[in-house]
Amino acid sequence: CTSFSLSMFLPIIPATIGLTPQSMANSKEARKHSKLQNCSLADLQAEKQCKHVVYEIGLKQNSPEKAEEYLKQAEQMGHTLAAFELGMRFLSGANPSKEDALVYLCKASSNGIPEASIEVGKIYEFQGEHELAKQYYKKAYHQGDPRAMQLFRAVKQAENSK
């Protein structure tokens, strides 16, 4: 989806918030990200109709508001990692919002990102909704994240000790 040559970029696992190399390697979007992350903002600006490019532009923004604008656009275009990134930003940004974080993390979870499932589980666990937390931890485990089973067991053990 870009007019410049992407073949010159080596596949690099991105330092996107919270994603493990395992889940990133399994994602088509992650492979696109690996190729585009080293492109200049000027090169990316020329290709704004591509969801992968819009995602990269969002990641390169210095302004959190501009970043959110581009990431939302990429998410609306169907970019799964943009949904995860938005969810994580809503959890830890200057104005955290668990409600907004849940919206985007649930979308990312539904699209197979185990880290999103774990984050949703943590939110529900913190809110005392243990059944939902266990459900998302189990989902993360089935999506390929072995850490999720430990989290599932910890919630179950906490329930049993009451």
Side-chain angles (χ1 to χ4, degrees):
C1 70
T2 58
S3 58
F4 49 92
S5 172
L6 296 177
S7 61
M8 64 184 170
F9 299 109
L10 295 172
I12 301 168
I13 300 298
T16 303
I17 300 173
L19 294 179
T20 63
Q22 176 186 2
S23 67
M24 292 298 292
N26 293 333
S27 167
K28 177 183 175 186
E29 290 173 347
R31 290 189 300 275
K32 280 283 193 184
H33 173 69
S34 293
K35 291 177 181 178
L36 293 171
Q37 70 182 355
N38 295 321
C39 294
S40 73
L41 192 53
D43 285 340
L44 293 171
Q45 291 285 1
E47 299 291 333
K48 284 197 233 180
Q49 73 277 8
C50 175
K51 68 182 179 180
H52 305 292
V53 170
V54 174
Y55 172 71
E56 291 302 321
I57 293 171
L59 292 179
K60 293 179 184 290
Q61 295 300 309
N62 292 327
S63 158
E65 294 81 16
K66 276 294 211 187
E68 183 179 324
E69 177 185 323
Y70 279 103
L71 290 170
K72 281 183 176 179
Q73 184 181 350
E75 188 277 326
Q76 289 169 353
M77 295 169 83
H79 199 286
T80 304
L81 293 177
F84 178 74
E85 184 75 27
L86 280 164
M88 295 305 291
R89 286 173 184 240
F90 280 119
L91 274 181
S92 62
N95 299 313
S97 167
K98 283 193 177 139
E99 294 80 19
D100 289 335
L102 269 173
V103 168
Y104 290 107
L105 290 171
C106 285
K107 285 182 182 183
S109 171
S110 294
N111 285 305
I113 297 181
E115 292 81 5
S117 300
I118 285 177
E119 292 302 324
V120 172
K122 287 178 181 178
I123 292 170
Y124 284 133
E125 182 179 357
F126 181 76
Q127 293 174 345
E129 298 183 48
H130 294 154
E131 286 305 312
L132 283 171
K134 289 190 304 189
Q135 190 177 345
Y136 276 92
Y137 291 150
K138 188 174 181 180
K139 183 176 187 176
Y141 178 77
H142 289 292
Q143 290 171 326
D145 194 324
R147 301 173 299 158
M149 191 51 64
Q150 291 174 308
L151 295 166
F152 178 90
R153 287 182 184 132
V155 172
K156 196 166 184 166
Q157 186 176 25
E159 285 178 326
N160 292 337
S161 67
K162 287 183 181 181

